[in-house]
Amino acid sequence: MTARGPGTTIGVEEEFLVVDTGSRRPVPKAAAVLARLDGDAGGIKPELYESQVEAVTPVLTSLADVARSLVTNRASLARVAAAEGVAAVGVGTPVLAGPLPVLSTGDDRYRLVARTYQGAFADYEACGCHVHVGVPGDDLAVAVVDHLRPWLPTLLALSANSPFHHGRDTGYASWRTIDQARFPGGGVPPRFGDFAGYERCLDQLVDCGILVDERMTFWAARPSPRYATVEVRVADVAASPDGALLQAALVRGLVRAALDDLSHGREAPEIDGQLAAGALWSAARYGIHGPGIDTIGGRRVPARTLLAALVRRVRPALEDTGDVLAVDALLPPVLAGGAARQRATAAAGGLTAVVDELAGVLTEPVTGPAAGERSAEHAPVPL
């Protein structure tokens, strides 16, 4: 089945850490790794620091094609990293501390960012998963982002994959989110109403010196400053391709559900900004297996209850794109992974075992129909 119209195309950006296979610590080897790539591996690029790389899919419409691109990018990265004596890992923050990271470029903008944010920026080796969904028109993109606001904490909770930072258990499921909170212009975005309101907010933040430029926001979702897309960037990078693919499917489903609401004149719900910030914190603290915050109802509920509501919200969109079986198959392994799996591995073998496992699952095959299977024998996971 092929979806059509706005909310059809998907692109996924994944950020990875480069770690030494002996010490398991981040190392500034990204340039050497990238130099080993074949000419057809154009989806793998430098990131902010020399200890990070980014893998980007093409613009795609089929979830199966997204799955293939994610796996291909990760396999290419693993191959060239091994040839350089290092490994790439999908983790939101460094499990073990490495040397102070080195900027991967002499770009004047990055130098300005470093001067502006000082110590908050100096060791910010955070890795996320960003999903772009095609939405033409600035006002429409802002309206979609307004509709996404209540669901962003649940997307984070589902993806939480950074319980350790520089050799310690932080007590959080997503320390990357807490690390990112050191910067202004982050978290669940305000409700903007239209593109003019969005631009006014950005212009004021830049004019006041809070943001370096209009591209510098850390909001969990935003109209992309470069493409005709809505960009959802709340998730930690996933250890295996399953997590990235599930984020892509759910984000596209949420965008399509928002577009359907807008086509029927249903405006975005009003949610309190402080409650939204608290919900994002709760998702970072407890992940998907703990308590969450219902931002519309204004109450504490299990995060799994919020996930079940999200899945109900997107199911008509998933049926339209033919992705229901894929999401049903992806949910169990993703729920079994993330921060909880890292902690279990650490309890059994220590933090070096966590890094080794992250390196090992980088190129795991995708679970279920999105990998090209024809079987329909995938029961929905109980939520």
Side-chain angles (χ1 to χ4, degrees):
M1 186 179 301
T2 302
R4 301 180 186 278
T8 298
T9 58
I10 314 176
V12 181
E13 302 167 348
E14 296 188 280
E15 299 160 346
F16 300 101
L17 276 178
V18 177
V19 299
D20 181 78
T21 52
S23 69
R24 282 82 159 187
R25 300 175 187 274
V27 287
K29 291 286 190 75
V33 168
L34 294 172
R36 291 180 176 271
L37 284 168
D38 299 331
D40 61 351
I44 304 174
K45 304 174 181 180
E47 239 301 314
L48 179 63
Y49 287 119
E50 266 290 309
S51 50
Q52 296 173 294
V53 293
E54 181 182 46
V56 182
T57 72
V59 178
L60 301 165
T61 57
S62 159
L63 200 64
D65 287 341
V66 176
R68 281 188 284 271
S69 184
L70 291 170
V71 171
T72 298
N73 279 344
R74 285 166 171 250
S76 295
L77 181 55
R79 175 177 55 81
V80 294
E84 193 59 34
V86 295
V89 294
V91 65
T93 51
V95 176
L96 297 168
L100 197 67
V102 179
L103 283 174
S104 64
T105 174
D107 185 280
D108 287 342
R109 178 175 180 268
Y110 280 149
R111 294 183 191 279
L112 176 59
V113 170
R115 287 199 304 272
T116 300
Y117 299 116
Q118 293 291 313
F121 183 79
D123 63 349
Y124 180 68
E125 292 175 288
C127 294
C129 173
H130 300 181
V131 179
H132 289 259
V133 179
V135 178
D138 293 336
D139 282 329
L140 187 58
V142 169
V144 167
V145 170
D146 286 348
H147 276 265
L148 295 179
R149 294 175 70 233
W151 307 105
L152 295 171
T154 302
L155 290 173
L156 168 62
L158 183 62
S159 76
N161 187 40
S162 49
F164 300 109
H165 184 249
H166 290 179
R168 67 185 178 94
D169 189 330
T170 65
Y172 283 73
S174 173
W175 187 252
R176 166 185 161 271
T177 303
I178 304 305
D179 212 13
Q180 198 172 79
R182 296 184 292 178
F183 298 92
V188 175
R191 191 177 191 273
F192 294 109
D194 55 28
F195 191 69
Y198 176 72
E199 281 194 311
R200 281 194 301 272
C201 180
L202 275 184
D203 289 345
Q204 186 173 50
L205 292 173
V206 173
D207 288 346
C208 290
I210 296 167
L211 301 181
V212 166
D213 56 34
E214 68 281 354
R215 292 161 51 200
M216 193 62 205
T217 63
F218 284 91
W219 284 316
R222 64 180 182 178
S224 170
R226 294 184 293 169
Y227 310 113
T229 66
V230 165
E231 180 185 8
V232 176
R233 54 225 294 269
V234 72
D236 285 0
V237 68
S240 73
D242 280 351
L245 190 63
L246 182 58
Q247 283 286 319
L250 294 179
V251 168
R252 181 165 69 171
L254 285 170
V255 169
R256 292 177 72 86
L259 289 167
D260 182 66
D261 276 354
L262 290 165
S263 73
H264 289 89
R266 295 189 287 267
E267 295 299 320
E270 293 281 359
I271 62 173
D272 179 77
Q274 286 299 303
L275 194 63
L280 200 71
W281 174 85
S282 183
R285 171 67 175 86
Y286 300 108
I288 200 62
H289 301 295
I293 307 296
D294 175 358
T295 56
I296 296 175
R299 58 199 178 99
R300 197 182 207 196
V301 297
R304 293 282 287 267
T305 299
L306 298 172
L307 177 60
L310 190 157
V311 172
R312 287 194 299 272
R313 164 83 170 160
V314 302
R315 189 160 288 270
L318 298 178
E319 290 170 350
D320 185 46
T321 55
D323 296 334
V324 171
L325 290 179
V327 167
D328 286 344
L330 289 165
L331 276 165
V334 171
L335 288 169
R341 179 167 173 175
Q342 284 194 43
R343 286 195 168 106
T345 301
L351 293 183
T352 58
V354 173
V355 180
D356 289 344
E357 181 173 73
L358 290 167
V361 302
L362 183 80
T363 57
E364 278 189 342
V366 169
T367 301
E373 297 176 11
R374 299 299 179 191
S375 172
E377 297 176 4
H378 296 284
V381 63
L383 294 173

